[in-house]
Amino acid sequence: MKKGIFITFEGIEGSGKTTQAKLLAERLKEQGLDVIKTFEPGDTQAGKKIREILLSPSINMNPLTELLLYFSDRVQHVEEKIKPAINQGIIVICDRFTDSTIAYQGYGRGLSVELIEEFNNILLGNFKPDLTILLDLPAEIGLSRNQRINKRDRFEMEDIDFHNKVRDGYLQIAKSDPERFFIVDATEDASEISQKIFDIVQTKINTK
Ligand code: TMP
């Protein structure tokens, strides 16, 4: 059986990933394709509990503890949901994946990017998305969008410097892997963005 495709959405807070992932899944389903939409952290039974710990504003956490929890969630997610779906020929659309860990725990918190890549190798056998959509926008705009809807988890409470580092981190990761990344200007109109993403995904599907 033909393998499915693994597509991830990445970006800082308020970049519109969740909306765009949903729109893409809907459009692909309209075409009769088999699609599942998933997210990190927290889209398994174990992951839900891990997410609660990770995002609780009242829990004090060492950056390495945080890193290990994101990988715990990811190992469970990949083994329980993502790989089985891909092996059945399904298109998997995931809201955040390892690039989030490199951007937030690596560039944001200052942990070694090499260490994170090494963990990825050891724990996931260097399992990577086929295509990653990076929704890029200035941190000020993203954060102000989220404040309007009153979203305040442990990361949203970080200062603007942290979010600027995460944004720059994402741009560097994308630069180092241009074959996999598609960068979209997330300040554009949502329907224009959705069309651009749909076009690039169709090309990916047709060339796979
Ligand atoms: P969400 O708001 O997209 O649901 O993601 C929850 C938060 O977790 C978000 O602020 C980014 C953060 N995060 C990391 O710091 N590292 C990771 O590996 C992932 C997947 C998310």
Side-chain angles (χ1 to χ4, degrees), residues 13 17 51 70 74 96 100-101 104-105 151 155:
E13 321 298 317
K17 292 174 288 83
R51 181 182 175 95
Y70 276 111
R74 186 160 303 129
R96 299 195 181 280
S100 280
T101 311
Y104 282 78
Q105 281 65 51
K151 247 182 119 231
F155 289 89

Side-chain angles (χ1 to χ4, degrees), residues 92-189:
V92 177
I93 299 176
C94 188
D95 185 346
R96 299 195 181 280
F97 198 64
T98 304
D99 298 309
S100 280
T101 311
I102 300 177
Y104 282 78
Q105 281 65 51
Y107 288 91
R109 298 275 191 240
L111 292 178
S112 153
V113 169
E114 289 73 36
L115 173 78
I116 299 172
E117 282 167 350
E118 189 76 1
F119 271 139
N120 203 54
N121 261 323
I122 295 168
L123 299 171
L124 301 175
N126 206 21
F127 177 70
K128 280 194 174 167
D130 298 299
L131 172 68
T132 298
I133 315 285
L134 172 58
L135 291 162
D136 177 57
L137 85 174
E140 293 83 359
I141 302 179
L143 288 182
S144 73
R145 283 183 183 175
N146 266 10
Q147 267 155 18
R148 262 181 271 139
I149 55 168
N150 240 340
K151 247 182 119 231
R152 298 291 281 165
D153 63 31
R154 225 159 50 78
F155 289 89
E156 275 130 4
M157 289 166 74
E158 288 289 341
D159 63 17
I160 191 78
D161 280 359
F162 176 84
H163 293 281
N164 277 325
K165 281 191 232 161
V166 174
R167 182 199 183 188
D168 291 346
Y170 269 131
L171 290 171
Q172 289 210 40
I173 305 166
K175 215 167 128 189
S176 71
D177 198 352
E179 292 263 295
R180 174 165 68 88
F181 273 88
F182 180 64
I183 306 177
V184 187
D185 177 354
T187 62
E188 283 182 9
D189 180 69

